C-alpha cells in the first residue's frame, strides 16, 4: 500500500538538460526515480495524474553517512 505525500511539482523545459547536474548535486545518498503524481487544482478539484522525477534516499545508511560532519 502507498501513502499519499503532498509535493510541489516543478515544470520547466530546461530540466532535461539539467538532470546530470542535479543528480551530481544530490549526490550518492539520493537516487532519482519516476513517480506517479495525483494532481489537484484549485479548491480540491482533481487534475489528473502526471509522471514526475523524485529524489529518494538511496538507503538509510547512505543518507546517514552523507550528513556526517
Amino acid at each position: 500500500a502507498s501513502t499519499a505525500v503532498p509535493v510541489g511539482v516543478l515544470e520547466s523545459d530546461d530540466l532535461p538538460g539539467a538532470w546530470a547536474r542535479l543528480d551530481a548535486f544530490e549526490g550518492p545518498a539520493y537516487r532519482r526515480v519516476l513517480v506517479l503524481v495525483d494532481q489537484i487544482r484549485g479548491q480540491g478539484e482533481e487534475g489528473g495524474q502526471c509522471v514526475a522525477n523524485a529524489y529518494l534516499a538511496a538507503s538509510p545508511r547512505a543518507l546517514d553517512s552523507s550528513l556526517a560532519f
Side-chain angles (χ1 to χ4, degrees), residues 27-64:
Y30 292 92
R31 61 188 173 93
R32 183 165 42 95
V33 298
L34 295 176
V35 296
L36 188 60
V37 176
D38 292 319
Q39 297 177 312
I40 297 176
R41 306 275 187 217
Q43 299 293 320
E45 175 186 331
E46 291 188 27
Q49 294 182 322
C50 70
V51 175
N53 287 273
Y55 285 96
L56 304 179
S59 72
R61 179 172 294 188
L63 185 57
D64 289 343

Side-chain angles (χ1 to χ4, degrees), residues 6-30:
V7 298
V9 176
L10 170 69
E11 297 179 66
S12 172
D13 292 336
D14 295 329
L15 282 171
W19 286 125
R21 190 167 32 112
L22 291 167
D23 292 344
F25 173 81
E26 294 297 340
Y30 292 92

